[in-house]
Amino acid sequence: MDYKKIDRMAELFRNSHNTVVVTGAGISTEAGIPDFRGENGVYTIVGENRAMKIINIDAFRRDPEGFYTFYRQYLMFPPVEPSKAHYMLAQLENKGFIRAIVTQNIDNLHQKAGSKRVIPIHGTADRFICTKCRSVYNSEYVEKSKNVPVCEKCGGILKPDVVLFGEQIYNYADAHEAIVHAKLLVVIGSSLTVYPLAGFVKEFSTFYQDLIILNKSRTQLDHAAIVKVDSGNTGDVLEEIYKRIG
Ligand SMILES: [Zn+2]
Protein backbone atom coordinates (compact mmCIF):
# COMPACT_ATOMS: atom_id res chain seq x y z
CA MET A 1 0.00 0.00 0.00
CA ASP A 2 1.14 3.52 -0.81
CA TYR A 3 1.25 5.24 2.60
CA LYS A 4 2.04 8.63 1.14
CA LYS A 5 -1.27 8.53 -0.66
CA ILE A 6 -3.05 7.32 2.48
CA ASP A 7 -1.63 10.25 4.48
CA ARG A 8 -2.64 12.69 1.77
CA MET A 9 -6.19 11.30 1.68
CA ALA A 10 -6.46 11.40 5.48
CA GLU A 11 -5.45 15.05 5.37
CA LEU A 12 -8.09 15.79 2.71
CA PHE A 13 -10.79 14.11 4.81
CA ARG A 14 -9.70 16.00 7.91
CA ASN A 15 -9.75 19.37 6.16
CA SER A 16 -13.09 18.94 4.43
CA HIS A 17 -16.35 19.99 6.07
CA ASN A 18 -18.42 18.52 3.24
CA THR A 19 -17.25 15.15 1.95
CA VAL A 20 -19.48 13.22 -0.43
CA VAL A 21 -18.83 9.67 -1.59
CA VAL A 22 -19.94 8.20 -4.91
CA THR A 23 -20.01 4.41 -5.14
CA GLY A 24 -20.35 2.02 -8.06
CA ALA A 25 -20.28 -1.72 -8.68
CA GLY A 26 -16.66 -2.11 -7.52
CA ILE A 27 -17.51 -1.71 -3.85
CA SER A 28 -20.19 -4.38 -4.07
CA THR A 29 -17.96 -6.92 -5.78
CA GLU A 30 -15.92 -6.72 -2.56
CA ALA A 31 -19.04 -8.04 -0.83
CA GLY A 32 -19.40 -10.85 -3.39
CA ILE A 33 -21.95 -9.39 -5.78
CA PRO A 34 -20.99 -9.92 -9.42
CA ASP A 35 -20.35 -6.75 -11.43
CA PHE A 36 -22.69 -6.58 -14.47
CA ARG A 37 -19.64 -6.05 -16.64
CA GLY A 38 -17.38 -8.44 -14.76
CA GLU A 39 -16.56 -12.08 -15.35
CA ASN A 40 -19.84 -13.51 -13.98
CA GLY A 41 -21.90 -10.44 -14.71
CA VAL A 42 -25.08 -10.51 -16.70
CA TYR A 43 -23.63 -8.34 -19.50
CA THR A 44 -20.77 -10.74 -19.96
CA ILE A 45 -23.00 -13.81 -19.96
CA VAL A 46 -25.78 -12.66 -22.28
CA GLY A 47 -24.22 -9.63 -23.97
CA GLU A 48 -24.82 -6.02 -23.04
CA ASN A 49 -27.14 -5.28 -25.97
CA ARG A 50 -29.45 -8.16 -25.26
CA ALA A 51 -29.51 -7.39 -21.55
CA MET A 52 -30.32 -3.73 -22.24
CA LYS A 53 -33.23 -4.75 -24.45
CA ILE A 54 -34.75 -6.90 -21.72
CA ILE A 55 -34.00 -4.87 -18.59
CA ASN A 56 -35.96 -2.11 -20.23
CA ILE A 57 -39.16 -0.35 -19.25
CA ASP A 58 -40.79 -1.00 -22.65
CA ALA A 59 -39.91 -4.70 -22.50
CA PHE A 60 -41.30 -4.85 -18.96
CA ARG A 61 -44.63 -3.36 -20.10
CA ARG A 62 -44.85 -5.37 -23.31
CA ASP A 63 -43.71 -8.75 -22.00
CA PRO A 64 -43.58 -8.99 -18.19
CA GLU A 65 -43.32 -12.79 -18.50
CA GLY A 66 -40.08 -12.59 -20.49
CA PHE A 67 -38.81 -9.78 -18.29
CA TYR A 68 -39.29 -11.75 -15.09
CA THR A 69 -37.82 -14.96 -16.48
CA PHE A 70 -34.65 -13.00 -17.20
CA TYR A 71 -34.77 -10.93 -14.02
CA ARG A 72 -35.12 -13.98 -11.81
CA GLN A 73 -32.29 -15.78 -13.55
CA TYR A 74 -29.74 -12.96 -13.63
CA LEU A 75 -30.69 -10.17 -11.29
CA MET A 76 -32.01 -11.67 -8.08
CA PHE A 77 -29.13 -12.51 -5.77
CA PRO A 78 -29.01 -14.38 -2.51
CA PRO A 79 -28.56 -11.91 0.36
CA VAL A 80 -24.95 -10.93 1.10
CA GLU A 81 -23.33 -9.03 3.93
CA PRO A 82 -21.73 -5.62 3.41
CA SER A 83 -17.98 -5.57 2.76
CA LYS A 84 -15.36 -3.96 4.98
CA ALA A 85 -15.50 -0.92 2.70
CA HIS A 86 -19.24 -0.47 3.38
CA TYR A 87 -18.65 -0.67 7.14
CA MET A 88 -15.73 1.76 7.03
CA LEU A 89 -17.86 4.31 5.16
CA ALA A 90 -20.62 3.95 7.76
CA GLN A 91 -18.10 4.57 10.55
CA LEU A 92 -16.61 7.58 8.78
CA GLU A 93 -20.11 9.03 8.43
CA ASN A 94 -20.81 8.28 12.07
CA LYS A 95 -17.71 10.26 13.10
CA GLY A 96 -18.79 13.19 10.95
CA PHE A 97 -16.32 12.71 8.09
CA ILE A 98 -18.88 11.95 5.38
CA ARG A 99 -21.97 13.97 4.61
CA ALA A 100 -23.65 11.72 2.04
CA ILE A 101 -23.18 8.67 -0.18
CA VAL A 102 -24.55 8.73 -3.72
CA THR A 103 -24.71 5.16 -4.98
CA GLN A 104 -25.34 3.49 -8.31
CA ASN A 105 -25.74 0.15 -6.55
CA ILE A 106 -29.13 -1.45 -5.97
CA ASP A 107 -28.08 -3.89 -3.24
CA ASN A 108 -28.90 -1.78 -0.17
CA LEU A 109 -25.51 -2.65 1.39
CA HIS A 110 -24.69 0.90 2.52
CA GLN A 111 -27.90 1.07 4.51
CA LYS A 112 -27.29 -2.43 5.84
CA ALA A 113 -23.81 -1.40 7.01
CA GLY A 114 -25.31 1.53 8.92
CA SER A 115 -24.87 4.53 6.61
CA LYS A 116 -27.68 7.02 7.25
CA ARG A 117 -27.58 9.50 4.41
CA VAL A 118 -27.62 7.36 1.28
CA ILE A 119 -28.89 8.62 -2.06
CA PRO A 120 -29.57 5.60 -4.31
CA ILE A 121 -29.99 6.70 -7.91
CA HIS A 122 -30.79 3.31 -9.44
CA GLY A 123 -33.27 2.09 -6.83
CA THR A 124 -33.28 -0.96 -4.58
CA ALA A 125 -33.38 -4.50 -5.92
CA ASP A 126 -35.22 -6.15 -3.07
CA ARG A 127 -38.18 -3.77 -3.18
CA PHE A 128 -41.07 -4.32 -5.57
CA ILE A 129 -43.88 -1.88 -6.18
CA CYS A 130 -47.39 -2.50 -7.48
CA THR A 131 -47.81 -0.72 -10.81
CA LYS A 132 -51.47 0.01 -9.96
CA CYS A 133 -51.80 0.87 -6.26
CA ARG A 134 -48.11 1.49 -5.35
CA SER A 135 -48.10 -1.09 -2.53
CA VAL A 136 -44.58 -2.19 -1.60
CA TYR A 137 -43.38 -5.80 -1.42
CA ASN A 138 -40.06 -7.44 -0.59
CA SER A 139 -38.10 -10.01 -2.57
CA GLU A 140 -39.26 -12.83 -0.30
CA TYR A 141 -42.83 -12.25 -1.52
CA VAL A 142 -41.65 -12.25 -5.13
CA GLU A 143 -39.58 -15.40 -4.71
CA LYS A 144 -42.63 -17.24 -3.39
CA SER A 145 -44.95 -16.05 -6.15
CA LYS A 146 -45.20 -17.39 -9.68
CA ASN A 147 -43.11 -15.92 -12.49
CA VAL A 148 -44.87 -12.55 -12.84
CA PRO A 149 -45.62 -11.43 -9.27
CA VAL A 150 -48.92 -9.63 -8.66
CA CYS A 151 -50.25 -7.46 -5.86
CA GLU A 152 -52.36 -9.33 -3.35
CA LYS A 153 -54.56 -6.28 -2.81
CA CYS A 154 -55.42 -5.26 -6.37
CA GLY A 155 -53.92 -7.81 -8.74
CA GLY A 156 -51.57 -5.27 -10.37
CA ILE A 157 -48.20 -6.45 -11.70
CA LEU A 158 -45.25 -5.71 -9.42
CA LYS A 159 -42.25 -3.86 -10.79
CA PRO A 160 -38.80 -4.10 -9.24
CA ASP A 161 -38.03 -0.74 -7.60
CA VAL A 162 -34.98 -0.29 -9.78
CA VAL A 163 -34.31 2.06 -12.65
CA LEU A 164 -34.71 0.15 -15.91
CA PHE A 165 -33.22 1.25 -19.21
CA GLY A 166 -35.49 3.93 -20.63
CA GLU A 167 -36.31 5.32 -17.18
CA GLN A 168 -35.05 8.42 -15.36
CA ILE A 169 -32.66 7.91 -12.46
CA TYR A 170 -34.08 8.42 -8.97
CA ASN A 171 -33.11 11.37 -6.77
CA TYR A 172 -31.59 13.26 -9.68
CA ALA A 173 -31.71 16.66 -7.98
CA ASP A 174 -30.45 15.41 -4.60
CA ALA A 175 -27.56 13.51 -6.18
CA HIS A 176 -26.57 16.46 -8.34
CA GLU A 177 -26.79 18.92 -5.46
CA ALA A 178 -24.74 16.71 -3.11
CA ILE A 179 -22.00 16.10 -5.66
CA VAL A 180 -21.47 19.54 -7.14
CA HIS A 181 -21.52 21.25 -3.75
CA ALA A 182 -19.11 18.87 -2.07
CA LYS A 183 -15.76 20.13 -0.84
CA LEU A 184 -14.17 16.71 -1.17
CA LEU A 185 -15.56 14.08 -3.53
CA VAL A 186 -14.50 10.45 -3.16
CA VAL A 187 -15.35 8.06 -6.00
CA ILE A 188 -15.18 4.37 -5.07
CA GLY A 189 -15.50 1.42 -7.45
CA SER A 190 -16.84 3.25 -10.46
CA SER A 191 -15.12 3.78 -13.80
CA LEU A 192 -17.36 6.84 -14.31
CA THR A 193 -18.81 5.79 -17.63
CA VAL A 194 -22.51 5.78 -16.68
CA TYR A 195 -24.39 9.02 -17.19
CA PRO A 196 -25.76 11.23 -15.77
CA LEU A 197 -23.66 10.43 -12.68
CA ALA A 198 -20.36 10.64 -14.54
CA GLY A 199 -21.47 14.07 -15.77
CA PHE A 200 -22.08 15.25 -12.20
CA VAL A 201 -18.56 14.20 -11.20
CA LYS A 202 -17.15 15.89 -14.27
CA GLU A 203 -19.04 19.05 -13.39
CA PHE A 204 -17.64 18.91 -9.85
CA SER A 205 -14.10 18.47 -11.13
CA THR A 206 -14.27 21.47 -13.45
CA PHE A 207 -14.31 23.72 -10.38
CA TYR A 208 -10.91 22.36 -9.30
CA GLN A 209 -12.19 20.94 -6.07
CA ASP A 210 -10.69 17.97 -4.28
CA LEU A 211 -11.32 14.64 -5.99
CA ILE A 212 -10.17 11.21 -4.79
CA ILE A 213 -10.70 8.09 -6.93
CA LEU A 214 -10.39 4.55 -5.56
CA ASN A 215 -10.92 2.12 -8.40
CA LYS A 216 -9.35 -1.06 -9.68
CA SER A 217 -8.83 0.25 -13.18
CA ARG A 218 -8.60 3.48 -15.12
CA THR A 219 -11.50 5.92 -15.01
CA GLN A 220 -12.61 8.77 -17.24
CA LEU A 221 -11.46 11.32 -14.67
CA ASP A 222 -8.14 10.00 -13.37
CA HIS A 223 -6.44 13.08 -14.77
CA ALA A 224 -8.61 15.34 -12.58
CA ALA A 225 -8.04 13.45 -9.31
CA ILE A 226 -5.66 14.71 -6.61
CA VAL A 227 -5.22 11.13 -5.46
CA LYS A 228 -5.98 8.03 -7.51
CA VAL A 229 -5.55 4.60 -5.95
CA ASP A 230 -5.71 1.50 -8.15
CA SER A 231 -7.05 -1.06 -5.75
CA GLY A 232 -9.67 -3.78 -5.80
CA ASN A 233 -9.60 -3.73 -2.02
CA THR A 234 -10.95 -0.36 -1.02
CA GLY A 235 -11.91 -1.71 2.41
CA ASP A 236 -8.25 -1.81 3.45
CA VAL A 237 -7.58 1.63 2.00
CA LEU A 238 -10.52 3.16 3.88
CA GLU A 239 -9.47 1.40 7.06
CA GLU A 240 -6.00 2.98 6.85
CA ILE A 241 -7.59 6.41 6.36
CA TYR A 242 -9.94 5.79 9.27
CA LYS A 243 -7.05 4.81 11.54
CA ARG A 244 -5.46 8.20 10.90
CA ILE A 245 -8.52 10.34 11.45
CA GLY A 246 -11.14 8.29 13.35
ZN1 LIG B 1 -51.77 -3.22 -5.93
Side-chain angles (χ1 to χ4, degrees):
M1 202 171 301
D2 185 336
Y3 290 103
K4 249 193 188 148
K5 282 186 180 176
I6 300 279
D7 290 340
R8 181 79 176 102
M9 288 188 286
E11 189 192 320
L12 289 166
F13 266 93
R14 218 183 278 121
N15 293 336
S16 160
H17 59 275
N18 181 2
T19 297
V20 172
V21 176
V22 170
T23 63
I27 193 167
S28 292
T29 56
E30 292 181 35
I33 291 177
D35 180 350
F36 279 17
R37 293 185 169 76
E39 205 182 331
N40 299 312
V42 57
Y43 290 171
T44 312
I45 298 168
V46 304
E48 188 159 347
N49 274 339
R50 191 176 155 231
M52 282 171 72
K53 275 184 198 139
I54 302 171
I55 318 165
N56 187 293
I57 185 63
D58 296 326
F60 172 78
R61 291 191 183 123
R62 201 175 51 234
D63 176 22
E65 191 78 33
F67 173 89
Y68 265 106
T69 303
F70 188 89
Y71 194 83
R72 285 174 184 279
Q73 186 173 359
Y74 295 110
L75 296 167
M76 287 181 75
F77 308 115
V80 300
E81 292 304 309
S83 69
K84 189 202 263 183
H86 292 98
Y87 287 115
M88 294 315 306
L89 289 176
Q91 287 194 40
L92 284 164
E93 180 188 339
N94 188 32
K95 297 265 180 188
F97 289 106
I98 290 174
R99 180 169 281 185
I101 298 174
V102 177
T103 187
Q104 295 177 282
N105 301 330
I106 56 176
D107 48 41
N108 215 29
L109 290 179
H110 288 300
Q111 294 89 335
K112 225 174 156 183
S115 288
K116 299 279 186 294
R117 175 110 174 94
V118 183
I119 305 172
I121 60 167
H122 291 160
T124 308
D126 63 6
R127 267 165 61 97
F128 293 80
I129 297 186
C130 174
T131 49
K132 273 193 191 155
C133 76
R134 313 302 297 165
S135 291
V136 175
Y137 292 85
N138 60 19
S139 50
E140 208 180 314
Y141 177 86
V142 170
E143 272 155 25
K144 277 191 251 164
S145 66
K146 53 185 199 286
N147 188 28
V148 178
V150 293
C151 176
E152 60 186 3
K153 291 173 201 151
C154 78
I157 291 175
L158 305 188
K159 179 188 171 292
D161 191 22
V162 298
V163 175
L164 305 179
F165 289 104
E167 287 187 298
Q168 290 282 344
I169 65 163
Y170 294 168
N171 303 313
Y172 185 102
D174 284 351
H176 180 257
E177 155 95 21
I179 290 171
V180 299
H181 292 135
K183 168 74 175 58
L184 170 65
L185 190 67
V186 184
V187 175
I188 302 177
S190 169
S191 49
L192 297 172
T193 48
V194 178
Y195 279 79
L197 189 71
F200 296 169
V201 178
K202 206 175 244 172
E203 189 180 337
F204 168 88
S205 72
T206 57
F207 297 113
Y208 305 106
Q209 282 155 315
D210 296 343
L211 176 65
I212 292 174
I213 299 179
L214 312 178
N215 192 56
K216 203 161 63 175
S217 49
R218 244 161 47 86
T219 80
Q220 299 291 315
L221 286 173
D222 283 2
H223 62 274
I226 299 191
V227 182
K228 163 74 197 296
V229 178
D230 284 274
S231 171
N233 190 344
T234 56
D236 285 352
V237 175
L238 291 169
E239 187 177 35
E240 286 299 323
I241 294 171
Y242 184 77
K243 274 190 207 158
R244 283 158 177 76
I245 60 176

